[in-house]
Amino acid sequence: MSWNSPRQVIFPKWFDIAIKIVVVLVLSVVGYVHLLVAYGFSPKTTDVGYAPEQPIPYSHALHVGELGIDCRYCHTGVDRNSYSNIPTAQTCMNCHSKVKTDSKLLEPLREAFKEGKPVEWIKVHDLPDYVYFNHSAHVTRGVGCQSCHGRIDQAEVVSQIKPLSMSWCLDCHRHPEAHLRNPAQVKPTFMGFDTLTPSELKKFVNADNRDDYGRQVAKDLGINPPTDCSTCHR
Amino acid sequence: MSELANNFDNTFDDPTRRAPLITGQHNLTTITDTICGVVENKPPRIWYIAFAISFAIMSTLAGTIGYLIFAGTGVWGLNNPAAWGWAIVNFVFWVGIGHAGTLISAILFLFRQKWRTGINRSAEAMTIFAVICAGMFPGIHIGRVWYAFYLAPLPNQMDMWPQFRSPLLWDVFAVNTYFVVSLLFWYMGMVPDLATLRDRATSRVRQIAYGFFSLGWRGSNRHWHRYERAYLILAALATPLVLSVHSVVSFDFAVAQVPGWHTTIFPPYFVAGAIFSGFAMVLTLLIPCRHIFGLKDFITLRHIENMNKVILATGSMVGLAYATEFFIAWYSGNPIEQFAFQNRAFGHYWWAYAIMISCNVITPQIFWFKKARTNIWITFVASIFVNIGMWFERFVIIITSLTADYIPAAWDYYSPTWVDIMTFVGSFGLFMTCFLLFCRFLPMVAISEVKLTLAEQRHMEHIKQAYAEQAAEKGGEA
């Protein structure tokens, strides 16, 4: 380091450039850390796309999309309970005692049925224990499966489509119109209702766009989603 | 060259004569030598003793805070009605003390009060250390300190924000702004003096350290021009802060519905109290310092007398506020408000109220007398009384109101635990450690500004005249 004189310590010339470099560096590091936290730690990054390998490669696309089985055939409590139950082996065997009885892939099902145990499905949409979520409250008030689970009727493998973060919940509770429909339309045949183009939407309902229709539904049903802490954290 | 005797009495009240603010035999060189000498020479033994004590006390603070974090806020005396205990009392106490520095440096600067130059540097340092102590208390008061970042409105995936309608959040902003502006003001004002220390430094470490922090100051015309502009702008920015910060602190109480808190008088009353306590702390610190470090020529009796006048004025304002509170409680016709004030003065905590009134209202009245204003010992003792009184004021406000609000079934008696007490004592350790380090390593008096007063003083014929007259009088007596 070359100081101007032995006694006076005054910054050398290169310090002017050094300061600029340091400022740019510090700003980039701060910016990088912000981006890292905002995107890297966000549930959009960490949780979306979670698709564990299930004991049986069950396809919703086949059962719902092609065969048109109602959600409630398997998830029997979804419109009556806070939780949406996963079917027991018996429910599966209603059909599979006759269909594909010798499929290798269904071996774990037959095993479970024989032992009287459920198939050990792996939970995909796992909310924290401090969150209270009620399926029936949403399903019976016009929030379709699609809003949280995406096009489950086209899903070969179930994966987490939405971040399920608190801000994501709040987005909908503050602006529910994009997700509200007539509760009668909460069924597989209307699965893609939320993503219809305005002209397609016209075929079903008398509204110019999705949000107008949602507002209409909210008005008719008196839906005013709460955003208090105690709504979900009880 | 100031040719005044060391015992020159510059507290005279003749308004036709401007009093000299530097006494003793001084020219530009001796001013630099005296003030830099504090930093460059080995400090007196009392500094080492004081530092050892302060540092030891500060270490206990680390212990009590560690214990608090480990065990939780249950180790404090908090109970169900009194969820705000000593931590908040101490917070308001310290942040109040932190008000004198910026008042002296900003408001007195804008009002061209030249006497500020002798005391502004150390008062600003005191401000910064007091705000550090203040900021610590809400931080540990929240209990789960690792969530302290929730105080800041950081965007997050929960869409969760601090309550923007809560004065507690405004407080976070107010105190942080105050700290940043005070720190900038203090540091920026110090740059020319740091350069002086750099140029005089003999050891390499000092040359580099002061060289770094003096930011390449050369004392060129352009440097001085920019410096003075920036100083003026910062003074203008800091001036509203003197009033706003403690107003916002008072909102913590005034916005709440608790009887005894919910009053519109709080902001001005708190600001007056803050300046009152701040000046008292400046006196408590500077009276020993000017003696120990030989700065009596720059921090003269006139400075002390002026501060005593501020203490008298603000102390009386605080007294008026106490009286107004009682009047309004009666005048409001609200029985709960009336009870809150009866309870303050005559309830379980009557002793705290009595200490508060005698220290804050009665003690400063002694400064109506010039003899008291210009007596070091009376001033020193009174300043300590004021410090005590102002701590008790916050105790009275917080504890008496919280422990007996609307529902008698919820009333309780609050008493601190040893952890409460040791944390408060520890905060003094932190404060004094910082202040002693400041005395040791930074210029305690604004050298360049004092030199400016000297330059003006040199051209005042009447000062020489006053000196001649005083000398003649003394000669006549002898």
Side-chain angles (χ1 to χ4, degrees):
Chain A
M1 212 178 260
S2 72
W3 305 105
N4 298 38
S5 77
R7 288 198 65 200
Q8 267 196 333
V9 175
I10 292 185
F11 299 108
K13 266 241 157 83
W14 55 260
F15 213 85
D16 283 347
I17 300 160
I19 285 176
K20 282 170 195 149
I21 293 171
V22 167
V23 167
V24 170
L25 270 181
V26 167
L27 287 180
S28 349
V29 167
V30 169
Y32 178 72
V33 169
H34 274 81
L35 287 177
L36 190 74
V37 173
Y39 295 103
F41 295 171
S42 155
K44 279 181 194 159
T45 312
T46 55
D47 296 357
V48 170
Y50 174 60
E53 201 186 322
Q54 302 287 359
I56 301 167
Y58 174 83
S59 164
H60 279 82
L62 171 66
H63 291 80
V64 185
E66 284 184 39
L67 304 175
I69 302 175
D70 193 274
C71 313
R72 280 161 292 197
Y73 183 78
C74 305
H75 306 291
T76 51
V78 71
D79 56 349
R80 282 174 289 157
N81 293 332
S82 66
Y83 59 91
S84 167
N85 57 309
I86 302 298
T88 58
Q90 284 87 338
T91 307
C92 306
M93 288 303 274
N94 285 347
C95 299
H96 285 290
S97 56
K98 300 281 183 241
V99 183
K100 299 257 185 191
T101 48
D102 50 359
S103 163
K104 259 232 152 351
L105 292 172
L106 291 178
E107 190 53 40
L109 172 65
R110 290 191 293 272
E111 191 94 341
F113 182 67
K114 222 181 284 169
E115 290 176 19
K117 283 181 183 164
V119 179
E120 289 182 12
W121 302 103
I122 296 162
K123 191 167 187 172
V124 180
H125 299 84
D126 195 5
L127 289 177
D129 289 351
Y130 50 78
V131 177
Y132 175 80
F133 177 79
N134 189 320
H135 265 95
S136 71
H138 291 81
V139 170
T140 58
R141 301 294 275 167
V143 180
C145 311
Q146 187 194 5
S147 295
C148 309
H149 300 291
R151 289 302 296 268
I152 196 77
D153 60 326
Q154 295 170 354
E156 285 293 342
V157 177
V158 177
S159 69
Q160 184 173 328
I161 303 290
K162 303 287 181 185
L164 307 189
S165 62
M166 182 163 147
S167 61
W168 173 80
C169 295
L170 279 172
D171 268 352
C172 189
H173 272 236
R174 285 172 182 158
H175 307 288
E177 57 273 2
H179 298 280
L180 288 178
R181 52 173 94 169
N182 185 335
Q185 291 159 342
V186 182
K187 53 182 172 182
T189 41
F190 283 91
M191 190 58 82
F193 191 83
D194 293 350
T195 42
L196 292 180
T197 61
S199 56
E200 288 171 327
L201 188 73
K202 276 264 187 215
K203 291 179 200 161
F204 300 101
V205 294
N206 181 25
D208 288 335
N209 62 55
R210 183 68 187 84
D211 285 3
D212 281 351
Y213 177 62
R215 270 189 281 272
Q216 207 176 301
V217 173
K219 206 179 155 202
D220 291 348
L221 299 182
I223 291 173
N224 189 15
T227 49
D228 308 309
C229 309
S230 61
T231 305
C232 309
H233 306 294
R234 301 188 163 186
Chain B
M1 184 77 187
S2 162
E3 291 155 353
L4 301 172
N6 284 317
N7 60 356
F8 181 80
D9 177 17
N10 64 349
T11 61
F12 57 80
D13 291 321
D14 182 356
T16 63
R17 285 177 186 160
R18 200 170 278 277
L21 294 167
I22 301 164
T23 56
Q25 307 279 326
H26 277 295
N27 57 29
L28 297 180
T29 314
T30 57
I31 289 178
T32 310
D33 284 344
T34 317
I35 298 169
C36 293
V38 176
V39 177
E40 287 160 354
N41 303 333
K42 204 166 153 22
R45 186 191 292 165
I46 182 117
W47 184 90
Y48 288 100
I49 297 169
F51 186 77
I53 296 170
S54 306
F55 194 80
I57 295 174
M58 188 179 77
S59 313
T60 68
L61 178 69
T64 43
I65 290 180
Y67 179 51
L68 171 84
I69 292 170
F70 185 75
T73 46
V75 298
W76 282 347
L78 302 177
N79 56 32
N80 210 358
W84 285 5
W86 273 37
I88 302 300
V89 175
N90 300 340
F91 161 70
V92 183
F93 170 75
W94 278 119
V95 88
I97 283 175
H99 273 64
T102 316
L103 181 96
I104 291 169
S105 47
I107 294 186
L108 296 188
F109 177 73
L110 294 181
F111 284 138
R112 303 280 188 271
Q113 292 294 309
K114 299 281 184 215
W115 61 276
R116 69 180 270 287
T117 54
I119 53 170
N120 73 331
R121 176 70 45 72
S122 39
E124 285 169 42
M126 178 207 76
T127 288
I128 285 156
F129 307 141
V131 175
I132 290 172
C133 292
M136 180 190 80
F137 279 103
I140 58 174
H141 174 77
I142 59 174
R144 289 187 272 178
V145 292
W146 47 95
Y147 284 128
F149 68 91
Y150 272 31
L151 292 169
L154 297 168
N156 58 71
Q157 55 83 19
M158 294 177 285
D159 256 12
M160 199 157 71
W161 300 91
Q163 175 57 279
F164 286 103
R165 287 171 290 187
S166 165
L168 300 183
L169 179 70
W170 312 342
D171 218 12
V172 174
F173 285 109
V175 174
N176 277 325
T177 311
Y178 189 65
F179 180 72
V180 171
V181 172
S182 302
L183 188 69
L184 277 178
F185 206 29
W186 180 60
Y187 174 58
M188 212 207 72
M190 206 154 42
V191 167
D193 294 354
L194 288 174
T196 305
L197 282 171
R198 169 200 65 197
D199 295 346
R200 292 166 56 96
T202 44
S203 80
R204 195 69 192 146
V205 177
R206 279 183 177 238
Q207 281 173 354
I208 291 175
Y210 290 123
F212 185 84
F213 285 109
S214 55
L215 304 176
W217 178 268
R218 292 280 212 169
S220 73
N221 269 352
R222 185 178 292 189
H223 283 182
W224 278 110
H225 176 258
R226 299 263 160 90
Y227 167 85
E228 304 240 317
R229 290 291 101 186
Y231 201 82
L232 191 63
I233 290 169
L234 272 179
L237 282 176
T239 297
L241 286 180
V242 178
L243 305 176
S244 72
V245 176
H246 226 58
S247 295
V248 173
V249 171
S250 80
F251 291 161
D252 291 350
F253 307 99
V255 173
Q257 308 291 312
V258 177
W261 287 7
H262 194 61
T263 55
T264 47
I265 199 180
F266 261 37
Y269 155 31
F270 267 53
V271 171
I275 294 165
F276 181 51
S277 67
F279 271 90
M281 189 56 99
V282 172
L283 283 170
T284 311
L285 291 175
L286 287 190
I287 287 175
C289 277
R290 72 195 273 274
H291 179 75
I292 293 166
F293 299 113
L295 298 170
K296 283 183 186 173
D297 290 343
F298 309 114
I299 305 169
T300 66
L301 260 190
R302 190 174 185 88
H303 293 84
I304 288 168
E305 195 198 359
N306 282 346
M307 286 192 271
N308 283 336
K309 286 177 181 168
V310 175
I311 285 185
L312 174 60
T314 48
S316 304
M317 284 182 212
V318 168
L320 179 66
Y322 297 155
T324 310
E325 279 187 323
F326 270 84
F327 171 74
I328 293 295
W330 167 76
Y331 189 64
S332 70
N334 179 341
I336 291 177
E337 192 74 9
Q338 285 168 359
F339 167 77
F341 283 94
Q342 278 167 22
N343 184 49
R344 258 187 204 177
F346 307 111
H348 285 116
Y349 295 101
W350 67 269
W351 47 271
Y353 194 81
I355 294 173
M356 174 185 105
I357 290 287
S358 44
C359 290
N360 287 355
V361 186
I362 299 169
T363 306
Q365 301 310 319
I366 198 172
F367 291 139
W368 287 108
F369 304 102
K370 192 179 174 77
K371 278 237 161 62
R373 286 202 301 272
T374 52
N375 183 306
I376 293 296
W377 287 106
I378 293 177
T379 303
F380 186 64
V381 172
S383 75
I384 288 175
F385 275 163
V386 171
N387 287 326
I388 295 171
M390 283 310 290
W391 188 87
F392 272 96
E393 180 199 291
R394 280 63 176 249
F395 179 85
V396 165
I397 291 172
I398 292 173
I399 303 299
T400 59
S401 287
L402 278 180
T403 48
D405 62 356
Y406 296 102
I407 304 169
W411 293 358
D412 205 344
Y413 191 81
Y414 169 90
S415 31
T417 62
W418 67 269
V419 185
D420 280 302
I421 297 166
M422 284 313 293
T423 313
F424 179 50
V425 172
S427 70
F428 270 96
L430 172 63
F431 178 73
M432 284 311 298
T433 305
C434 292
F435 194 79
L436 287 165
L437 286 173
F438 158 74
C439 295
R440 179 80 186 84
F441 293 108
L442 294 170
M444 271 184 70
V445 176
I447 305 171
S448 57
E449 292 187 41
V450 165
K451 281 180 180 170
L452 214 63
T453 16
L454 180 75
E456 288 172 9
Q457 201 166 306
R458 279 160 71 183
H459 298 290
M460 293 176 189
E461 279 304 317
H462 60 265
I463 288 178
K464 284 179 192 161
Q465 211 180 323
Y467 171 59
E469 279 167 23
Q470 276 194 13
E473 264 175 44
K474 274 178 190 151
E477 278 164 20

